Amino acid sequence: MPSASIVDHGLLGGGNDAGLATFRGTEGAYMLPHHVKEIERLNRQHRFMSSTTEGVLIAAPLGDSDPVRVLDAGCADGTWLRDLTRQFPSKQLSLHGIDIGSTLFPPSDARLPALDLRQHDLTEPISGSWHWDSSFDVIHQRLLIWGLKTTQWPIVLRNHLAILKPGGYLQLVEAEWIDPATRHLQSPLLQKQAHLQEWSTLQFGMDINIAFKLEDLLREVGFVDVNTVQFQHGYGAKAKDKTQGNVSAELWVECFRTLDSKIGVGSNLAEEGIPNVAKDAAEFHAFLDDLEKEIKDNGYQPKLNMVYGRRPLD
């Protein structure tokens, strides 16, 4: 995760989760809740996303490569890396991860696949002392739409390009959260949700529509053979796995609740509330309660994109 200072703007923290232990090293870096409880949310999110993709974690073609050296950029506690052995049980995997905060890294466990997890800011080049240049077959990065500023995306992609092997793939996983073609046809609550999504990114120089732009960004920094594999990422009533229906709706709404203490008099960003959403914390939580019920009953279905590109052969 990058080092963009979100806390400086007063968005992180507070809310119903005040007092919980925080991630040392991620403060000011990540817009979503940044305490230890976030790992539980990320693990539930991983299970839900895996149900959407029917277990596919890498869409980029690995071919006959073996062993395969993999890097997860923004790895948190390494859950995605460890799950790779399920998709590729016959491959010899060398698993590596980087994240701006090391507090989330789990202790070594001989019963689980070995991980090499290191603290690093994605917006900075990898240190030459790591000897990682041109070394990875695959780099994976997922859901950093609320972690990277718009101006940082090309920087991060170039950093990834430098440590891929010639012929190696970068895979970016992001969702088309707002469909401009159907937005006006959605329910009033989902239209209000779109305002919240736009506000929660635009205020910090981020782009809620980054998923639509990833193919062009990859080509612009030098990737070739760029492709997208798309999934219908249904929440609530539209979840592909019905056992994930209520879980996914609760998971989605939960990630916004810590914005509550930043609304109203005295806040840095939302003294007049969140435009077109809520004027104070009480109205905001009432909206989120209604939104959760709406998604459980009727669903919300953005598209999840796995966008990948190949580093050219030298």
Side-chain angles (χ1 to χ4, degrees), residues 34 68 86 213 308:
H34 64 310
V68 180
R86 176 185 49 76
K213 304 170 184 178
Y308 62 84

Side-chain angles (χ1 to χ4, degrees), residues 4 20 31 43 52 87 90 131 133 191-193 234 249 254 257 269 284 286 302 309:
L20 291 173
M31 205 205 82
N43 287 333
T52 286
Q87 184 180 348
S90 63
H131 304 292
D133 286 356
Q191 290 187 42
K192 187 179 288 191
Q193 172 187 270
E254 177 185 330
R257 288 202 182 271
L269 288 172
F284 181 60

Side-chain angles (χ1 to χ4, degrees), residues 40-67:
E40 299 172 10
R41 191 191 70 83
L42 290 171
N43 287 333
R44 284 184 285 137
Q45 174 180 273
H46 176 75
R47 291 191 294 271
F48 168 53
M49 293 183 72
S50 294
S51 71
T52 286
T53 65
E54 297 182 342
V56 174
L57 300 178
I58 295 179
L62 297 186
D64 296 327
S65 299
D66 201 12

